[in-house]
Amino acid sequence: MAIYLDHAATTPLRPEALEAMLPYLGAEFGNPSSPHGFGRRARAALDEARERVAARLNAEPRELVLTAGGTEALNLAIKGAAWAGKARGNRLVASRVEHHAVGHSLSHLERFGFEVAELAVDRYGRVDPDEVETAINDRTTLVAVQLANNEVGSIQPVVELGRRLRDRREVLFLVDAVAAAPYLPLDVDALGCDLLAIAAHKFEGPKGAGALYLRRGTHILAQEHGGAQERFRRAGTEDVAAAVGMASAFDLAVEERDATAKRLRRQRERLWNALRAVDGVELTGHVKDRLPGLLSVIVREADGAAIVMALDLAGVAASVGSACTTGSTEPSHVLSAMGYPDDEARGSLRLSLGRTTTDEQVDEAATIIVDVLGRERAAAAALSADPLGLGVTA
């Protein structure tokens, strides 16, 4: 059976979450906005799910907007906050390593006269809080910084940023916690954020489910219009089954977080100790302040896409970076922002472990990966020496 080392892309649906969802995929199919018994039972399940997720974030249930995933939550946060604050200012601040759901939303807003300030990051992919403060002026309405990077795993100084922004109440602080949710504590008060996004499929919940925390008193403009659902903040009939599954999976992920993170750190280091013995392999992201189960490397003089294909044939599922950029010929914007030249960035490889990853799988995968990396580097070197395949070195 193939070894799955791409949990940063998505996770398998947890059996407990599926079991919780099943009634709402069958007999309990009611619309939660309907007044009859079917609708009331659906509403009760939806309200309970919202309360459970909110409690895990140290938020109030009414501060939670249920969405169809992390991308929608981030789009709603950025576009909704930008348009709501347009009368006060048009400047938006974000790091250069944000997920494309953030970056592309900001690019979209630039077409309508918004000004976007991109924050540089260091070699580890982290922003400097001093530079964040410097980027803020009297026209700034939003600062967006992810809690942990989905490609290299580096954890940002979000708590420090929240502390500094707390006195700037006219500036909203958005935290993308999608990649961090299964592994790092999420307390909206401790983080000091006004908006925070999560996605269920990152912590063994269903795809198509997510949530946006919106601090009470924070005003955004809805991006979908229709009914009065989600307090007029996100129209459309709610997916009760997805919300119930998200709540179930999130409860379990939070309860097991410390034990899971401890085991994943040990497994990650075990895998890294095997890979670091291969010439040309370099760790990317922060050495210590990183997600526990995410190992990202640069394989010099090799092509990351070719490595991933070879690994797949050998029975290991991995990626070159974010699943949202699969098929792109451009190098990772994250690695580019961290200072890696294009030829090195194209040798990226991301291995992400999860709750269900076993020690035996890590050991077996390590053997396979080391062998594949050696072969791919040798093949790349041969191609470089004889690019036309004529048996004559260049």
Side-chain angles (χ1 to χ4, degrees):
M1 180 176 292
I3 300 171
Y4 186 73
L5 297 186
D6 200 17
H7 288 81
T10 196
T11 56
L13 181 62
R14 191 161 181 155
E16 297 93 330
L18 175 59
E19 183 178 0
M21 295 170 66
L22 286 176
Y24 305 97
L25 295 171
E28 298 296 343
F29 58 84
N31 185 323
S33 295
S34 297
H36 46 63
F38 288 92
R40 292 196 304 272
R41 289 192 296 274
R43 170 58 59 183
L46 188 70
D47 288 346
E48 182 189 2
R50 188 191 311 275
E51 290 169 4
R52 289 165 65 184
V53 174
R56 295 298 187 178
L57 300 175
N58 190 27
E60 299 177 24
R62 61 180 172 177
E63 295 177 306
L64 213 64
V65 181
L66 300 178
T67 68
T71 290
E72 187 194 348
L74 290 167
N75 272 257
L76 175 59
I78 293 168
K79 296 172 184 175
W83 285 114
K86 187 69 159 55
R88 291 186 292 106
N90 68 336
R91 185 172 169 87
L92 312 170
V93 177
S95 84
R96 292 179 180 172
V97 296
E98 299 300 307
H99 188 277
H100 281 316
V102 172
H104 289 173
S105 292
L106 294 172
S107 297
H108 170 78
L109 288 169
E110 284 185 300
R111 303 174 192 169
F112 298 93
F114 287 91
E115 175 190 350
V116 176
E118 289 189 322
L119 300 166
V121 295
D122 61 19
R123 186 70 170 178
Y124 303 117
R126 304 208 300 176
V127 298
D128 182 340
D130 290 338
E131 293 185 10
V132 176
E133 280 198 296
T134 300
I136 297 173
N137 61 23
D138 58 2
R139 293 180 291 105
T140 303
T141 59
L142 178 72
V143 172
V145 178
Q146 59 192 175
L147 181 51
N149 186 263
N150 55 299
E151 290 192 29
V152 299
S154 295
I155 298 171
Q156 298 282 8
V158 165
V159 173
E160 174 63 15
L161 290 174
R163 184 188 68 77
R164 297 193 187 196
L165 292 170
R166 198 163 284 134
D167 294 333
R168 296 176 177 263
R169 295 316 306 161
E170 75 283 0
V171 179
L172 298 179
F173 184 31
L174 165 63
V175 172
D176 171 5
V178 171
Y183 310 115
L184 301 180
L186 299 183
D187 182 322
V188 292
D189 284 342
L191 293 172
C193 59
D194 302 291
L195 307 106
L196 179 141
I198 62 172
H201 77 108
K202 300 295 187 178
F203 46 79
E204 297 179 282
K207 296 176 181 64
L212 172 66
Y213 160 75
L214 184 67
R215 187 176 295 279
R216 185 165 55 160
T218 301
H219 181 50
I220 62 173
L221 291 187
Q223 299 302 296
E224 293 180 285
H225 303 92
Q229 293 92 347
E230 300 302 305
R231 296 175 176 265
F232 292 96
R233 298 171 298 193
R234 194 260 188 184
T237 302
E238 298 94 341
D239 188 334
V240 178
V244 169
M246 174 168 63
S248 174
F250 200 33
D251 275 340
L252 292 167
V254 173
E255 290 167 5
E256 300 168 359
R257 180 181 286 150
D258 291 344
T260 298
K262 182 178 180 180
R263 178 174 54 78
L264 290 180
R265 287 191 192 94
R266 175 178 56 78
Q267 291 179 331
R268 183 195 68 203
E269 289 308 301
R270 193 166 175 167
L271 185 57
W272 170 232
N273 285 334
L275 267 62
R276 70 196 308 173
V278 179
D279 289 340
V281 175
E282 173 187 328
L283 183 72
T284 58
H286 200 277
V287 178
K288 294 182 179 179
D289 294 333
R290 64 187 300 131
L291 293 176
L294 199 154
L295 177 61
S296 57
V297 299
I298 287 288
V299 185
R300 299 184 186 279
E301 301 174 6
D303 179 72
I307 291 172
V308 168
M309 292 177 62
L311 286 174
D312 187 35
L313 292 173
V316 175
S319 69
V320 294
S322 173
C324 298
T325 59
T326 298
S328 173
T329 58
E330 295 298 317
S332 162
H333 74 286
V334 173
L335 294 176
S336 295
M338 291 164 60
Y340 288 93
D342 288 356
D343 61 330
E344 293 183 9
R346 287 193 173 90
S348 63
L349 175 65
R350 183 183 70 177
L351 304 164
S352 47
L353 318 178
R355 183 188 65 87
T356 55
T357 306
T358 66
D359 288 349
E360 292 75 18
Q361 288 176 326
V362 169
D363 290 340
E364 183 180 351
T367 299
I368 294 171
I369 297 168
V370 168
D371 177 64
V372 167
L373 293 185
R375 287 191 282 109
E376 288 300 317
R377 289 194 76 236
L383 180 61
S384 176
D386 184 13
L388 299 179
L390 302 176
V392 180
T393 57

